[in-house]
Amino acid sequence: MLKLMLSTFISRLATAVVNFGVIVLISRTLGPEGKGLSTLLLVTLVSVQMLCDFAGGAALVYLSSRYRVFSLMLPTWTWAAICSFGLGVYLTFSDQHQLHEIGWQAGLLCFINTTYTLHIHLLNGREWFKLAAGLLLLQAIITFVSLFFFLRSDPEVLDYFYALYVSWGTLWFVSIACIRHIRKDTQLLDDAKLKVFHIRRDIKKLFSTGAANQLGHLLQFFNQRIFFWFMPAYGLGIYSNAVALSESIWMIAGSVAMVQYGKISNMSDPKRAAELTAELFRATLWLSFLAVLAAAIVPASFYELLFGPAFKDVKQSLVVLLPGVLFLSGYLIIGHYFSGTGKFYRNNLAILSGVLVTIVGFLLIEFVTKTKPDEITAAAITSVANFAIFFSVIWFFKADSGIHWNALIPRWNDVQRFVKWFRPAA
């Protein structure tokens, strides 16, 4: 188990590094404005994908071990096609949108990305973790290589769009082949012995399971990305790079939470689950704090050297974002306690508190100061919103588990205990 977790983490880390290389490549070639426009392009596609994921989404990890994989693909593909068609129609009639001229191509790309992601969930549900992680790494590599060649002559923002087409399209076909393979594999599950998904009988379960999981993701996406839609392209290019740098720190909490989720899901003692969560919460705060501190002390000249001279202000936005990153790292641990115990609504309520803070902050800027949000303002409001999420989920955790406040205060020996917990003997 430990070896599997380590190999998966290394794959995720390698994928993050390659994806960061894509950010650097776009920033140095297209500048802040080009980076901002490419960010809007990706956010547009991901926004529709969030709607597509209400039919299954990450909940397919759970459903794929209970139904035949190809019987699950028909309803999820159908819903993805409907949402992607809607995107194509919207872009075709929105002549001010940057994707207006390629509206139908964008709709098709959205369908490819959404269904490819569904294939990854199906692979994870059948416990093909290494294969799924490998596909994501290969996708990132193909995106980087394709973009590198597209940008070599007459670089433009749509080069990123075409690079995504190459990588997502290639891996879409590869993932189909992988799905066919796991269907025939009987080492874990015999697909022929599983139930067939029937529309009339099971469609409600598909949407209810997907919606329960996806609502929190949608709220959090709104909370973290709302300012992307209202900032000028140049400022967004700088701010989006600061966001990418700050959110890379979540890999620490995300990796811990992945293991915690599996442990708690199989625990019958709720008290032990709460105690384990408190231990991991404290250790994760320490580890995340060290990463936040390292990011804060890196000189601004390094980011300017990394992204290009026009990105000298990335450090200012990053420093303001970092406290919120630390808060949300703590939320991820307690949030997975509620996910592991089946209480998703607690997470949704906590995230909703952050969304309310974001909305209030946005309205104050829009109607009181009558200005558009800049990088620093957006970073400050996002950090305060993450602060609200952090304390809301702690409040829910204490009420649910009855654990004392002192159990959540970081201690000097927390990291040492954390390392000991991960040893194979444990």
Side-chain angles (χ1 to χ4, degrees), residues 69-344:
V69 289
F70 278 113
S71 71
L72 283 171
M73 290 169 67
L74 176 61
T76 53
W77 274 31
T78 301
W79 178 247
I82 293 172
C83 295
S84 301
F85 178 79
L87 174 64
V89 172
Y90 166 74
L91 293 176
T92 300
F93 290 96
S94 300
D95 55 6
Q96 298 301 316
H97 199 283
Q98 68 173 114
L99 296 179
H100 168 68
E101 297 295 332
I102 52 171
W104 291 114
Q105 295 95 315
L108 178 59
L109 183 60
C110 181
F111 174 79
I112 292 172
N113 179 44
T114 299
T115 50
Y116 164 63
T117 304
L118 295 175
H119 301 164
I120 295 295
H121 293 322
L122 290 172
L123 290 171
N124 281 326
R126 292 296 179 90
E127 298 186 28
W128 287 76
F129 302 114
K130 291 183 180 180
L131 178 58
L135 290 178
L136 292 174
L137 175 57
L138 183 58
Q139 171 204 318
I141 293 173
I142 294 176
T143 301
F144 180 85
V145 173
S146 302
L147 184 62
F148 176 80
F149 283 103
F150 286 147
L151 291 175
R152 292 185 66 180
S153 61
D154 299 325
E156 58 177 343
V157 173
L158 287 181
D159 288 336
Y160 181 49
F161 178 87
Y162 300 133
L164 292 177
Y165 241 120
V166 173
S167 61
W168 289 348
T170 302
L171 271 298
W172 189 87
F173 287 104
V174 174
S175 64
I176 289 288
C178 293
I179 294 293
R180 290 178 61 86
H181 176 70
I182 67 169
R183 179 174 174 266
K184 297 178 181 179
D185 183 82
T186 57
Q187 183 178 358
L188 294 172
L189 291 169
D190 186 350
D191 198 75
K193 295 180 180 179
L194 296 176
K195 292 191 298 182
V196 175
F197 185 94
H198 289 292
I199 299 295
R200 290 185 179 181
R201 183 189 66 197
D202 299 317
I203 194 67
K204 182 178 179 181
K205 183 174 184 179
L206 178 69
F207 276 92
S208 62
T209 306
N213 179 77
Q214 192 63 15
L215 181 59
H217 292 294
L218 186 63
L219 290 173
Q220 186 65 354
F221 179 81
F222 175 86
N223 190 51
Q224 300 294 324
R225 297 292 185 266
I226 182 175
F227 292 108
F228 281 28
W229 296 105
F230 299 98
M231 296 175 65
Y234 189 94
L236 176 58
I238 295 173
Y239 180 65
S240 62
N241 279 8
V243 169
L245 285 166
S246 64
E247 291 183 355
S248 64
I249 296 172
W250 289 342
M251 282 194 66
I252 297 172
S255 299
V256 174
M258 179 182 65
V259 181
Q260 172 207 9
Y261 192 11
K263 287 280 186 180
I264 290 178
S265 297
N266 292 284
M267 283 184 177
S268 57
D269 183 0
K271 181 179 179 182
R272 177 57 190 143
E275 291 173 349
L276 175 61
T277 298
E279 292 177 20
L280 295 179
F281 172 81
R282 298 194 306 266
T284 300
L285 283 184
W286 275 118
L287 294 171
S288 299
F289 172 74
L290 294 175
V292 163
L293 185 62
I297 63 178
V298 171
S301 57
F302 171 79
Y303 301 115
E304 185 177 351
L305 178 66
L306 184 65
F307 297 120
F311 289 86
K312 57 184 176 61
D313 294 330
V314 164
K315 176 68 179 290
Q316 297 179 20
S317 300
L318 177 62
V319 169
V320 181
L321 283 168
L322 288 176
V325 169
L326 182 60
F327 294 139
L328 212 63
S329 295
Y331 158 77
L332 287 173
I333 302 301
I334 297 181
H336 277 77
Y337 162 81
F338 288 122
S339 296
T341 54
K343 300 173 182 176
F344 300 102

